[in-house]
Amino acid sequence: MAIEQQVAEIEADAGKAIASASDEAALEAIRVAELGKKGRVSLLMRELGGMSPEQRQIAGPALNGLKDRLTATLNARKADLELAALNKRLESEREDLTLPPRFEPVGALHPVMQVFEELAAIFADMGFAVAEGPDIEDDFHNFTALNFPAGHPAREMHDTFFMKPAADGTRKLLRTHTSPIQVRAMLSSKPPIRVIAPGRVYRKDWDATHTPMFHQIEGLVVDETVHMGHLKTCLTEAFSRFFEVPTTQSRFRPHFFPFTEPSAEMDIRCDRSGGEIKIGQGDDWLEILGCGMIHPNVLKSCGIDPEKYQGFAFGLGVDRLAMLKYGMPDLRPYFEADVEWIKHYGFKPWLLPTVTGGLS
Ligand code: DAH
């Protein structure tokens, strides 16, 4: 048979087979049968060596052309099949974006963040704004402006994490409390000032009830006629709302903080008789925060005239408050990023607490 005829037959044959191949495996079988080592085209090519130069001049290009065309047809069919498979998969994975979202509990608000939100809602309702400050502070805002004299032992009490000293010898530090935000608030605005400041704080401490990073909320009120009575009413009311009880009673014990005078620790009435703490009833007291009237030296450091203005401040630990309110026995899982724990104790992030809508 003349070579042209053979080429035409193979091309017609293989063309039909390729067109009707339904998957990649079928295509591969065709490729092997025609172009593989023992394929029809390859066997014909092997005969080129025994041909006369004239025959070879015709048969060579004819066979090479056939090989190229078959390869191109195979590749085109393969691309078509791949595209069809992809379309089929995409069709089966189609998402209807007009459907309403499914609220599955895939993530949750940490109880500490929930308590931040709850207290922010309560204090916002009393006219407080939320202030913030940096986690990395300097000595002035964390200590000096708050009336901690250089070398004062209270600085040591804070077990501070210091940064490496800068070229000028000064050392930045991780803030040991949220009180430096008071200083920033007073330096950047004029009285009357009413702010709360939530934030992370850091101390070198690590045991069952202490973690090197924990959370505080600072409160600050500066005005011309502010007194301890305002402090007491404001905080007592805030904790009744926070613990969602009709009333709480509070008592103040004298204490020392360098930045307040007088200083106090505030306790609220609780009942420990039943194994768990109940707030707002009973004969026991629960220490809840530190507070006091802002020391005149602090006002002065912040550019506020202590003859004209006075104010109160308070600082409370949020982690323990969250443990109390939500019955969590241990502090350490707070920082373990355990999905099961957060599923159990976490809050739905789209249900933010409000004073009117309910806190928890
Ligand atoms: N900064 C104090 C601490 O971390 C807490 C504190 C006490 C803050 C009394 C205040 C305050 O604003 O008036 O121990």
Side-chain angles (χ1 to χ4, degrees), residues 146 148 158 176-180 182 201 203 214 216-220 255-257 259-260 262-264 289-294 312-316:
L146 290 164
F148 288 80
H158 277 207
T176 57
H177 51 177
T178 42
S179 303
Q182 280 187 32
V201 300
R203 292 183 201 176
F214 56 105
Q216 289 187 337
I217 289 188
E218 194 77 12
L220 174 75
H255 200 76
F256 171 77
F257 299 106
F259 34 89
T260 41
S263 304
L289 54 76
C291 57
M293 298 303 294
I294 304 169
F312 68 77
F314 59 90
L316 57 92

Side-chain angles (χ1 to χ4, degrees), residues 258-303:
F259 34 89
T260 41
E261 181 57 39
S263 304
E265 279 189 325
M266 177 179 157
D267 300 339
I268 54 175
R269 189 178 281 283
C270 72
D271 177 13
R272 286 193 174 87
S273 59
E276 68 181 69
I277 301 185
K278 291 203 190 87
I279 307 293
Q281 46 183 295
D283 297 321
D284 240 331
W285 295 97
L286 176 74
E287 182 193 322
I288 204 104
L289 54 76
C291 57
M293 298 303 294
I294 304 169
H295 197 292
N297 287 351
V298 175
L299 292 171
K300 265 187 250 167
S301 296
C302 300

Side-chain angles (χ1 to χ4, degrees), residues 51-315:
M51 290 181 188
S52 70
E54 295 77 29
Q55 283 175 318
R56 203 181 303 137
Q57 240 172 23
I58 299 172
L63 288 172
N64 275 326
L66 173 64
K67 188 177 164 192
D68 290 348
R69 287 193 302 280
L70 281 184
T71 307
T73 317
L74 279 165
N75 287 344
R77 178 70 186 152
K78 190 171 167 207
D80 283 352
L81 285 175
E82 276 170 1
L83 186 66
L86 179 66
N87 280 336
K88 200 170 156 195
R89 206 188 82 213
L90 289 179
E91 191 60 38
S92 73
E93 289 174 356
R94 197 190 197 95
E95 295 286 356
D96 183 351
L97 297 179
T98 64
L99 288 174
R102 254 191 333 214
F103 282 128
E104 282 170 359
V106 284
L109 204 61
H110 196 286
V112 168
M113 294 301 131
Q114 171 76 11
V115 169
F116 272 165
E117 296 290 348
E118 291 178 10
L119 287 169
I122 291 168
F123 282 101
D125 194 48
M126 298 183 185
F128 284 70
V130 174
E132 283 182 325
D135 289 29
I136 299 175
E137 264 298 4
D138 52 32
D139 189 87
F140 173 77
H141 291 91
N142 199 81
F143 291 126
T144 308
L146 290 164
N147 199 33
F148 288 80
H152 192 282
R155 291 190 181 220
E156 306 310 315
M157 268 161 46
H158 277 207
D159 296 320
T160 313
F161 287 109
F162 287 101
M163 306 284 163
K164 285 201 184 107
D168 63 2
T170 58
R171 282 190 302 178
K172 296 251 186 189
L173 48 88
L174 289 175
R175 67 179 173 207
T176 57
H177 51 177
T178 42
S179 303
I181 310 176
Q182 280 187 32
V183 176
R184 291 182 178 276
M186 285 189 273
L187 284 171
S188 65
S189 53
K190 290 201 169 67
I193 301 172
R194 249 185 281 179
V195 291
I196 59 160
R200 297 194 172 100
V201 300
Y202 308 83
R203 292 183 201 176
K204 280 188 246 171
D205 236 341
W206 179 236
D207 61 36
T209 52
H210 296 90
T211 49
M213 188 277 284
F214 56 105
H215 303 84
Q216 289 187 337
I217 289 188
E218 194 77 12
L220 174 75
V221 173
V222 185
D223 207 341
E224 290 184 28
T225 56
V226 178
H227 55 70
M228 284 288 277
H230 295 136
L231 164 65
K232 179 167 182 173
T233 310
C234 172
L235 290 177
T236 310
E237 173 66 16
F239 283 109
S240 311
R241 288 185 171 194
F242 177 73
F243 286 110
E244 299 174 66
V245 291
T247 52
T248 42
Q249 281 176 336
S250 52
R251 71 173 188 191
F252 287 77
R253 281 175 291 102
H255 200 76
F256 171 77
F257 299 106
F259 34 89
T260 41
E261 181 57 39
S263 304
E265 279 189 325
M266 177 179 157
D267 300 339
I268 54 175
R269 189 178 281 283
C270 72
D271 177 13
R272 286 193 174 87
S273 59
E276 68 181 69
I277 301 185
K278 291 203 190 87
I279 307 293
Q281 46 183 295
D283 297 321
D284 240 331
W285 295 97
L286 176 74
E287 182 193 322
I288 204 104
L289 54 76
C291 57
M293 298 303 294
I294 304 169
H295 197 292
N297 287 351
V298 175
L299 292 171
K300 265 187 250 167
S301 296
C302 300
I304 292 178
D305 179 3
E307 298 298 329
K308 185 166 180 205
Y309 293 104
Q310 45 199 339
F312 68 77
F314 59 90

